[in-house]
Amino acid sequence: MFTGLVESVGKLVGRSGEHIRVRPARRFESPQFGESVAVNGCCLTLERDFPDGTLEFFTLAETLDRTNLGRLPIGSPVNLERAMLAGGRFGGHIVSGHIDGTGTIRDVRRDGNAVWYTIQAPEPILQLIVEKGSIAIDGISLTVARVDHVSFSVSIIPHTLQETALAFKRAGDIVNLENDCIGKYVAKLIGAEEEDKAGKGMTREFLQRYGF
């Protein structure tokens, strides 16, 4: 589990088959084999660390297909966050590191000391976004400022731009999106309740579909 508070910006330095290599700007302290690290919001397993601080992660084809990790050019900056410690502060929101899909930055606009990003996203993702709710963009915990039927917008403070890779993003770039997990569970339970009210009843198929 993660919080969406980026610890370091790394650089994608290699991609080979099922593995990617990332070099953090700030070296990880005592990296552990098998630990979970969010790379651009995607939960990956650390398999190897090198003397220069470079980290190697295992990636599935599903991961590369569903996220921007398979499309980023070598040298691209990526956000990094190690898994949350049980006794740590919970400064962002609950982030699982399981990407729901990607969106496309349509507009970047400066507004005083803030910068607005408008992101076009698929309908299933937009349906779970609410104004003033939480969204993880490339692993960054952010508050939704506006949402409509084709896109949503966030307003970014200077600290976030300084400490994350979002500052390098431009219109047309692809970003990873993770909806608020509480909203996803609520939506699923409401959908199950509506199915039951429609007269389908509590069947074996119904229970299997919802994990029982």
Side-chain angles (χ1 to χ4, degrees), residues 159-182:
H159 175 79
T160 302
L161 287 176
Q162 181 179 336
E163 297 297 327
T164 74
L166 196 57
F168 300 94
K169 297 294 184 180
R170 299 292 182 263
D173 286 345
I174 306 297
V175 291
N176 294 329
L177 301 175
E178 182 188 332
N179 288 111
D180 178 37
C181 69
I182 296 175

Side-chain angles (χ1 to χ4, degrees), residues 71-93:
R71 290 172 275 185
L72 291 175
I74 299 300
S76 295
V78 292
N79 296 316
L80 300 172
E81 181 190 355
R82 301 177 84 170
M84 180 185 177
L85 295 173
R89 286 193 175 97
F90 210 116
H93 73 282

Side-chain angles (χ1 to χ4, degrees), residues 1 20 64 79 86 89 98 110 112-113 116 127 132 140 157 159 176 187 193 204:
M1 181 181 292
I20 64 170
L64 299 178
N79 296 316
R89 286 193 175 97
H98 301 156
R110 182 164 290 279
N113 63 353
W116 284 80
Q127 287 177 342
K132 303 307 177 185
I140 310 166
I157 63 174
H159 175 79
N176 294 329
E193 183 180 2
R204 178 186 295 273

Side-chain angles (χ1 to χ4, degrees), residues 59-186:
T59 57
L60 294 168
E62 166 76 0
T63 302
L64 299 178
D65 289 343
R66 291 285 292 268
T67 73
N68 62 12
L69 294 181
R71 290 172 275 185
L72 291 175
I74 299 300
S76 295
V78 292
N79 296 316
L80 300 172
E81 181 190 355
R82 301 177 84 170
M84 180 185 177
L85 295 173
R89 286 193 175 97
F90 210 116
H93 73 282
I94 299 173
V95 179
S96 68
H98 301 156
I99 303 301
D100 292 302
T102 58
T104 303
I105 297 176
R106 289 305 181 200
D107 184 59
V108 180
R109 176 176 59 87
R110 182 164 290 279
D111 181 16
N113 63 353
V115 177
W116 284 80
Y117 288 78
T118 298
I119 298 171
Q120 183 177 328
E123 183 178 356
I125 290 178
L126 289 171
Q127 287 177 342
L128 294 172
I129 295 178
V130 297
E131 189 171 312
K132 303 307 177 185
S134 296
I135 184 77
I137 301 176
D138 275 351
I140 310 166
S141 175
L142 295 169
T143 300
V144 177
R146 298 171 185 165
V147 61
D148 57 34
H149 65 288
V150 294
S151 64
F152 69 95
S153 299
V154 292
S155 182
I156 308 300
I157 63 174
H159 175 79
T160 302
L161 287 176
Q162 181 179 336
E163 297 297 327
T164 74
L166 196 57
F168 300 94
K169 297 294 184 180
R170 299 292 182 263
D173 286 345
I174 306 297
V175 291
N176 294 329
L177 301 175
E178 182 188 332
N179 288 111
D180 178 37
C181 69
I182 296 175
K184 289 189 282 189
Y185 279 111
V186 170

